[in-house]
Amino acid sequence: MSRLREACEIDLYTGDRAIARSELIDRVREKQGLVCLLTDQIDRGVIDAAPSLRIIANIAVGYNNIDVEHARVRGIVVTNTPDVLTEATADFTWGLILAITRRIVEGDRLVRRGEWKGWALDFMLGSELRGKRLGIIGMGRIGQAVAARAPAFGMAVATSSDRPFTARLRPEGPDLPKIASVSFDELITTSHVLTIHVPLTGETTHLIDARVLARMRRSAYLVNTSRGPVVDEAALGWALREGLIAGAALDVYEREPEVHRDLLGLENVILAPHLASATIETRTAMADLAATNVLRVLAGDQPLTPVNL
Ligand code: DGY
């Protein structure tokens, strides 16, 4: 904010919910730059309401909330915040993997309910990761950062992604482990933990549906830190209830902040409130990158992280 304030006049929305579409349309009219969040729908109507707009800077790596193509047609640059959130998101993904396979959240709930009767040999047994297969759907930066952490937990990594990935994400980072390249069907039927790291597009909407869930191992866990609509939540509730998979850990939902009611009553699912990038360091870096993009475009320079140039 302070960097933007030095160079621009700011109209700051301070509500704690997403701005109403009518208010957004009203306030964006004369603006040259728009900094928005993944909860703001920047559709054709919003874009057309702002004839002077030159940049839409999303504070998120995902930009499915923006009509990027229409912005391109109108000559408006759209930017996102990749890289700066990769490590935080990969850490959180592993937090979810450990928490669901070792029943940490379920155990916490039990203790708080006063139901813990003491240590027992067969009490709340989870599942070990060592020697198991981690299936990664989506091998972009975050998928690769998740893969890079797998050797620490003794997991073998597989993916169905055919995009080439780098041997090392950061110069100082670890080398990627050996990653088996398999078909999507082999990935979903053989993985013990399946973690999703694809952007939300027409193709990835409900990529994980009832058919896929029914083909997964009964002992498998599903983890989603990408976008909610990639998983059919009603189908997931059914699969968890019927024991078709062992558990799921979600950070994202089809209609945030709503969570499908079938999931709310289940013990074998962790429901996190879209927190994967939520560290002080990462959220500060995301905001800073968005500000840099705005300042560069308004000064006539190339933005650092455009998605539609
Ligand atoms: C993103 O950036 O797309 C995440 O969902 C929020 O950090």
Side-chain angles (χ1 to χ4, degrees), residues 32-289:
Q32 292 176 290
L34 174 64
V35 178
C36 56
L37 305 177
L38 59 86
T39 45
D40 301 315
Q41 293 308 316
I42 312 300
D43 57 21
R44 180 181 277 259
V46 173
I47 292 170
D48 285 344
S52 315
L53 204 56
R54 290 160 63 190
I55 173 164
I56 300 168
N58 211 32
I59 309 187
V61 67
Y63 47 87
N64 51 288
N65 57 313
I66 302 172
D67 188 336
V68 171
E69 180 48 25
H70 189 61
R72 193 190 58 74
V73 169
R74 285 272 325 277
I76 300 167
V77 179
V78 177
T79 61
N80 67 343
T81 58
D83 298 317
V84 291
L85 49 61
T86 299
E87 304 298 329
T89 305
D91 287 347
F92 192 85
T93 301
W94 275 98
L96 289 180
I97 293 173
L98 289 163
I100 189 63
T101 56
R102 300 302 304 274
R103 306 175 66 177
I104 295 172
V105 179
E106 189 187 341
D108 177 274
R109 277 195 300 262
L110 175 136
V111 171
R112 287 171 198 274
R113 286 196 305 267
E115 289 174 13
W116 186 33
K117 300 200 171 52
W119 193 93
L121 197 57
D122 59 354
F123 176 60
M124 285 202 86
L125 304 184
S127 175
E128 280 189 28
L129 298 175
R130 196 155 301 280
K132 307 264 176 73
R133 171 173 269 190
L134 174 68
I136 303 185
I137 300 179
M139 263 296 180
R141 302 172 187 84
I142 297 170
Q144 291 177 56
V146 170
R149 287 154 172 76
F153 298 98
M155 290 196 86
V157 182
T159 185
S160 57
S161 168
D162 45 16
R163 85 187 244 182
F165 30 86
T166 39
R168 184 180 289 184
L169 278 177
R170 295 169 286 132
E172 76 284 14
D175 282 334
L176 279 181
K178 193 170 165 314
I179 297 174
S181 230
V182 298
S183 68
F184 183 72
D185 194 60
E186 186 177 338
L187 192 75
I188 59 165
T189 52
T190 61
S191 295
H192 298 90
V193 175
L194 196 58
T195 181
I196 306 169
H197 302 286
V198 285
L200 178 63
T201 63
E203 256 175 50
T204 61
T205 300
H206 283 192
L207 179 68
I208 306 298
D209 58 8
R211 195 196 63 84
V212 169
L213 290 159
R215 287 188 60 67
M216 287 173 67
R217 305 172 75 108
R218 285 190 162 249
S219 56
Y221 297 88
L222 180 73
V223 177
N224 188 13
T225 56
S226 64
R227 283 290 181 268
V230 176
V231 176
D232 178 341
E233 273 174 25
L236 178 61
W238 163 77
L240 289 167
R241 241 185 357 261
E242 298 296 318
L244 298 184
I245 63 172
L250 308 176
D251 188 42
V252 287
Y253 305 88
E254 284 195 67
R255 281 169 290 277
E256 294 180 14
E258 249 176 69
V259 175
H260 197 288
R261 64 185 140 71
D262 289 359
L263 298 173
L264 291 169
L266 294 170
E267 284 291 357
N268 54 347
V269 59
I270 292 177
L271 306 169
H274 205 147
L275 291 179
S277 69
T279 65
I280 293 167
E281 295 87 345
T282 291
R283 288 286 168 84
T284 305
M286 289 164 70
D288 203 44
L289 178 52

